[in-house]
Amino acid sequence: MRRAARRCARTLSSRVKAMQVVSAKQALSGQVPVGTEVTVRGWIRTRRDSKAGLSFLAVSDGSCFDALQVVAPGELANYASEVLKLTSGASVECSGTLVQSQGKGQSVEVQAKSVVVHGLVDDPETYPIQPKQHSLEFLREVAHLRPRTNTFGAVTRVRHCMAMAIHRFFHERGFVWVNTPIITASDAEGAGQMFRVSTLDLANLPRTPEGKIDFAKDFFGKEAFLTVSGQLNVEAYCLALSKVYTFGPTFRAENSNTTRHLAEFWMIEPEIAFADLAADAQLAEDFLKYVFTAVLQERQDDLKFFVERQDKAAITRLEALVGSSFERLDYGEAVKILEKSGQKFEFLPRWGQDLQTEHERYLTEKHVGRPVVVMNYPKDIKAFYMRQNDDGKTVAAMDVLAPGIGEIIGGSQREERLPLLDQRLRELKLDPAHYGWYRDLRRYGSVPHAGFGLGFERLVVYVCGLANIRDAIPYPRVPGAAAF
RNA sequence: UCCCUGAUAGCUCAGCUGGUAGAGCGGGUGACUGUUAAUCACCAUGUCCGUGGUUCGAGUCCACGUCAGGGAGCCA
């Protein structure tokens, strides 16, 4: 019986060997020797019929930027009945020999012995994805089909490459990935408008004797929302595991209709213990360089396409950032530089005011010409948890500004001293009772710690040279639109 | 939420000072000795976003609405 099983396995493996399923990436990168019998599966990009009575099929499977060319000879039994009916978007499974290409555009191609058609395109005339340049606005309306385009295939692969690089960066440095909650009952995060989470019957709300909505009857026994940040939660894990980070979905119910905002986006928030603002800035610099280097190394094919179609500087911008050392600049100095710049700004720079995007871009693009970390902002424009500096006016906050975009990362050293944290809560009219567990972290073995946050999609936009954040996430959620 | 701009064929867009619509691509048919978003010929395409209004007549002018894009604010 064992022998029979072995024999069976051998036949199976030899059959698999005879018809090895390969990806376009494997075939085109030279991983598969010429002469190998292969099967490729994917979707037709274009069909070109030759004068010689054969057809060229560009078959894309998403494994790399390029499609694999399959040569379908006229002798195929289903040539007239099916192959000649293939249009953009049809799905096929082609088997044949991987051969050196006789044509010019590619090194290898598949000389097909069979072309199995899985699915034709129902109505080719109305199939939205045609082999031509579509506007990104139009493609947003067909978000379920846009991954079949060059642009969204490339964005999706680059996005994946970046996500993997981010996890690898932290993992290699001993960070622990902490999954902070998506549902939160704390209504005092203060980072923005929140989406309510409730199972109450909206048409028949339970009321308290005073006539207010009785959230005690709701699922969690109190009001609940979708998270706007995992930072406060991850600080608790930081003060036990020393180096931690979050990487997960985040929600903001703000009515923002811009190219930079999503209602649902992914955020990355590292947090390090026994660390000050300088260590935080260094981590941010290392982080960006690592992620950009990974994309430059792993996704040259997709980046080249962005250079062609989206942004000529897509590659040079990344290379410049990776090769530069980030300047450190005090907020006070930055304001002085702006005041003396002689530059005409829409908003005048003034100490005590937050830097406008035009100010940030002047600093990083014109004044320094490299990425800049601006540090120590006025405390009145920053959040309650940021650590107060000895001058009594500023907090240990930082923004990383990059050429071409402005702010890309925001972070701070956190206030680890309970009396000073409570003082800030009172100044900002926040109720310390709502921050019980957060205050505990300062009561039980508090240490200096710091962290930063960044929106993943904004980083994707920057890397790909995109103009609109809605193209950096598969299914964008924005005010008034949650289709698909 | 505020300001600006736009909506014409499956897609990208043209359509002047009002006279009931065109081009490229895509699709169909045919031709063509390996093509590269192939080429060539022929064919078909339309609630001109919706509702009112002005006018002899509205794709074009006006009002309202809907949707989209850009900018601002908020922010990641």
Side-chain angles (χ1 to χ4, degrees):
Chain A
M1 180 157 169
R2 198 181 294 161
R3 201 179 304 150
R6 209 178 297 141
R7 198 181 313 130
C8 177
R10 204 179 303 136
T11 1
L12 193 66
S13 79
S14 64
R15 200 191 310 147
V16 166
K17 200 178 174 187
M19 250 349 151
Q20 188 185 348
V21 175
V22 300
S23 65
K25 180 186 181 181
Q26 290 171 317
L28 291 169
S29 65
Q31 286 176 52
V32 183
V34 165
T36 311
E37 294 299 306
V38 298
T39 297
V40 292
R41 304 151 159 175
W43 291 264
I44 300 289
R45 279 293 171 77
T46 59
R47 187 194 89 225
R48 293 181 295 273
D49 300 327
S50 143
K51 302 173 222 175
L54 63 156
S55 294
F56 298 93
L57 310 175
V59 178
S60 164
D61 63 5
S63 59
C64 59
F65 182 81
D66 289 313
L68 181 60
Q69 174 157 286
V70 173
V71 183
E75 293 74 45
L76 291 176
N78 62 344
Y79 185 74
S81 61
E82 288 191 304
V83 173
L84 285 180
K85 292 204 172 79
L86 290 172
T87 56
S88 295
S91 51
V92 292
E93 181 164 340
C94 307
S95 298
T97 315
L98 189 72
V99 297
Q100 214 87 50
S101 178
Q102 296 172 38
K104 282 210 176 106
Q106 58 286 315
S107 55
V108 293
E109 63 193 16
V110 174
Q111 187 65 42
K113 297 194 173 91
S114 80
V115 172
V116 176
V117 177
H118 280 287
L120 287 172
V121 167
D122 204 48
D123 178 9
E125 194 180 352
T126 57
Y127 179 64
I129 309 300
Q130 298 172 1
K132 58 167 284 189
Q133 194 160 4
H134 287 97
S135 69
L136 295 174
E137 291 84 0
F138 167 69
L139 291 172
R140 277 172 219 147
E141 293 166 19
V142 284
H144 59 312
L145 298 172
R146 69 179 185 171
R148 301 181 183 200
T149 63
N150 282 330
T151 301
F152 285 92
V155 170
T156 306
R157 281 184 299 271
V158 168
R159 184 182 162 110
H160 167 77
C161 168
M162 292 169 66
M164 290 296 110
I166 286 165
H167 283 301
R168 218 163 51 235
F169 171 83
F170 287 125
H171 180 69
E172 285 170 1
R173 280 158 185 75
F175 282 68
V176 177
W177 181 24
V178 176
N179 303 126
T180 50
I182 287 166
I183 298 173
T184 171
S186 123
D187 62 347
E189 302 206 27
Q193 291 278 98
M194 300 170 93
F195 286 102
R196 181 180 296 286
V197 175
S198 174
T199 53
L200 293 178
D201 179 1
L202 289 179
N204 188 20
L205 290 168
R207 299 283 176 175
T208 61
E210 296 83 52
K212 291 185 176 163
I213 296 167
D214 187 3
F215 286 106
K217 299 235 167 53
D218 205 347
F219 188 87
F220 296 106
K222 61 203 297 198
E223 284 187 274
F225 305 88
L226 293 180
T227 183
V228 292
S229 163
Q231 184 204 309
L232 268 43
N233 287 290
V234 91
E235 277 187 50
Y237 273 72
C238 177
L239 297 193
L241 297 167
S242 304
K243 292 193 273 188
V244 296
Y245 70 105
T246 72
F247 188 170
T250 310
F251 307 87
R252 301 277 167 91
E254 246 118 39
N255 193 7
S256 307
N257 250 301
T258 79
T259 55
R260 302 177 306 282
H261 289 84
L262 292 165
E264 176 183 277
F265 62 99
W266 287 61
M267 192 149 66
I268 299 137
E269 298 161 298
E271 193 76 26
I272 43 179
F274 307 99
D276 59 10
L277 189 64
D280 200 32
Q282 191 58 49
L283 181 68
E285 178 172 349
D286 295 345
F287 169 86
L288 288 177
K289 287 178 175 173
Y290 186 98
V291 175
F292 292 174
T293 300
V295 179
L296 284 168
Q297 283 175 354
E298 296 166 30
R299 294 260 58 103
Q300 274 291 322
D301 56 346
D302 295 321
L303 285 178
K304 274 183 190 143
F305 179 73
F306 294 136
V307 168
E308 258 174 61
R309 288 292 170 78
Q310 302 295 326
D311 183 353
K312 278 187 208 131
I315 291 180
T316 51
R317 186 175 48 233
L318 296 185
E319 288 173 340
L321 190 140
V322 166
S324 66
S325 68
F326 292 19
E327 179 84 15
R328 265 66 169 175
L329 199 61
D330 197 76
Y331 166 87
E333 282 173 63
V335 171
K336 277 183 203 150
I337 289 165
L338 291 166
E339 285 170 343
K340 286 189 211 146
S341 69
Q343 192 83 7
K344 248 192 153 178
F345 293 116
E346 194 184 334
F347 294 92
L348 285 178
R350 229 181 65 219
W351 201 99
Q353 304 272 304
D354 212 351
L355 299 179
Q356 300 284 321
T357 300
E358 55 178 345
H359 303 148
E360 295 175 342
R361 294 190 61 163
Y362 174 83
L363 288 170
T364 180
E365 289 166 16
K366 300 231 171 91
H367 183 74
V368 183
R370 286 179 284 125
V372 183
V373 188
V374 178
M375 304 165 103
N376 301 314
Y377 282 79
K379 70 173 181 182
D380 292 338
I381 57 171
K382 290 294 181 183
F384 75 90
Y385 52 75
M386 297 188 178
R387 190 178 195 275
Q388 293 186 59
N389 289 325
D390 294 340
D391 61 13
K393 297 191 304 194
T394 62
V395 289
M398 64 150 191
D399 280 350
V400 180
L401 315 179
I405 188 169
E407 182 193 333
I408 193 159
I409 285 181
S412 69
Q413 186 173 342
R414 321 305 189 190
E415 183 55 80
E416 84 280 13
R417 300 159 295 183
L418 189 60
L420 288 161
L421 181 69
D422 284 344
Q423 174 214 321
R424 283 299 283 153
L425 286 171
R426 282 193 302 270
E427 279 173 17
L428 295 168
K429 306 229 175 347
L430 297 167
D431 185 356
H434 287 159
Y435 294 88
W437 65 262
Y438 190 71
R439 293 176 69 254
D440 274 357
L441 302 176
R442 277 72 183 164
R443 295 173 61 209
Y444 308 135
S446 188
V447 296
H449 61 290
F452 63 79
L454 76 155
F456 184 45
E457 285 74 17
R458 288 189 177 177
L459 203 60
V460 174
V461 162
Y462 186 67
V463 167
C464 298
L466 297 170
N468 194 316
I469 200 164
R470 295 168 197 204
D471 302 322
I473 189 166
Y475 299 101
R477 270 79 179 95
V478 294
F484 305 98

